[in-house]
């Protein structure tokens, strides 16, 4: 499966070798802890909400359900569009595709930036269990996703599904948010087959 994100290119290098894919305004010098919450019943304009440690919304989606066939818009807390993605596009900021398409539990996806000839990032792990890493140039972990076990009456009633994302210093949070969103959509699409 191929998923693409598009926005006018702003990729630039910060103090590290890791490029700011969406923009340097989404990069911080410290490690950042995010929580991704997927809600079945949602009252704030989105199924997918990404918050910081203090519970402040950083990113959200327009749609109640993510479909890579359709255009999905990732927005910031003020509802401004950050980037959008769909299964295939002509004006790609980056392209994500399955490296081996063999095992849906332990997979590797490659991310190729628009200006690069070879994949720059990989996404590796167990997507069904929300336990995976985003890796830069095969060696440097830039973000790690782990399942947050949250069994409460509220979670069961409102369908909340939470997991954590640790974003390392100088890594573009909007890019990571897009990858996490796309991986969730791919996993959901694979479960519907």
């Amino acid at each position: 499966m191929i998923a693409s994100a598009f926005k006018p290119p702003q990729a630039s290098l910060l103090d590290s070798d890791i490029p700011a894919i969406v923009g340097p305004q989404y990069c911080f010098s410290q490690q950042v802890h995010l929580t991704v919450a997927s809600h079945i019943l949602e009252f704030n304009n989105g199924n997918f909400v990404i918050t910081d440690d203090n519970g402040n919304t950083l990113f959200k989606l327009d749609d109640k359900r993510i479909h890579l066939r359709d255009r999905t818009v990732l927005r910031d807390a003020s509802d401004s569009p950050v980037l959008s993605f769909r299964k295939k596009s002509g004006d790609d900021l980056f392209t994500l595709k399955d490296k081996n398409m063999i095992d849906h539990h332990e997979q590797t996806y490659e991310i190729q930036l628009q200006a690069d000839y070879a994949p720059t990032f990989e996404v590796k792990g167990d997507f069904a269990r929300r336990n995976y890493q985003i890796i830069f140039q095969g060696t440097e972990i830039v973000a790690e996703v782990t399942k947050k076990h949250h069994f409460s009456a509220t979670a069961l009633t409102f369908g909340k599904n939470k997991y954590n994302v640790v974003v390392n210093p100088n890594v573009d949070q909007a890019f990571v948010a897009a990858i996490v969103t796309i991986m969730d959509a791919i996993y959901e699409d694979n479960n519907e087959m």
Side-chain angles (χ1 to χ4, degrees):
M1 174 174 289
I2 297 172
S4 300
F6 57 96
K7 184 180 190 281
Q10 294 181 358
S12 62
L13 289 175
L14 299 172
D15 292 338
S16 71
D17 292 336
I18 302 169
I21 310 301
V22 179
Q25 70 271 29
Y26 299 110
C27 303
F28 296 98
S29 59
Q30 308 101 326
Q31 188 178 67
V32 178
H33 296 263
L34 306 175
T35 299
V36 178
S38 179
H39 305 271
I40 292 171
L41 299 176
E42 183 59 50
F43 304 103
N44 71 350
N45 189 36
N47 177 44
F48 217 74
V49 179
I50 300 175
T51 59
D52 63 13
D53 273 342
N54 300 319
N56 300 315
T57 298
L58 300 178
F59 304 103
K60 55 190 169 182
L61 297 181
D62 283 344
D63 302 318
K64 297 286 181 199
R65 184 162 162 82
I66 307 162
H67 291 288
L68 292 177
R69 294 178 297 274
D70 304 320
R71 181 176 170 196
T72 301
V73 178
L74 183 69
R75 297 184 178 275
D76 63 16
S78 64
D79 274 340
S80 297
V82 175
L83 57 88
S84 60
F85 43 89
R86 65 176 124 191
K87 191 167 183 176
K88 291 185 181 179
S89 172
D91 186 20
D92 303 334
L93 180 59
F94 65 86
T95 302
L96 182 143
K97 57 185 161 184
D98 191 343
K99 185 175 180 178
N100 53 19
M101 298 178 125
I102 297 171
D103 179 8
H104 289 297
H105 293 290
E106 185 69 36
Q107 289 184 322
T108 301
Y109 285 80
E110 295 178 327
I111 301 168
Q112 186 169 336
L113 302 179
Q114 179 186 36
D116 292 345
Y117 295 106
T120 307
F121 294 88
E122 288 183 330
V123 186
K124 274 186 174 180
D126 184 343
F127 305 111
R129 291 189 175 90
R130 306 301 196 271
N131 186 17
Y132 58 90
Q133 299 172 329
I134 301 172
I135 303 165
F136 177 66
Q137 294 185 339
T139 58
E140 187 174 352
I141 296 171
V142 296
E144 191 161 5
V145 176
T146 56
K147 180 74 172 170
K148 186 175 202 172
H149 299 287
H150 184 69
F151 300 104
S152 70
T154 304
L156 292 174
T157 304
F158 293 102
K160 293 180 183 179
N161 180 16
K162 291 187 177 185
Y163 46 100
N164 299 316
V165 181
V166 176
V167 182
N168 286 334
N170 299 316
V171 175
D172 190 324
Q173 293 178 45
F175 172 68
V176 171
I179 297 304
V180 167
T181 304
I182 292 168
M183 296 314 301
D184 200 77
I186 290 170
Y187 170 71
E188 293 302 323
D189 282 353
N190 285 341
N191 276 346
E192 290 177 1
M193 293 180 176

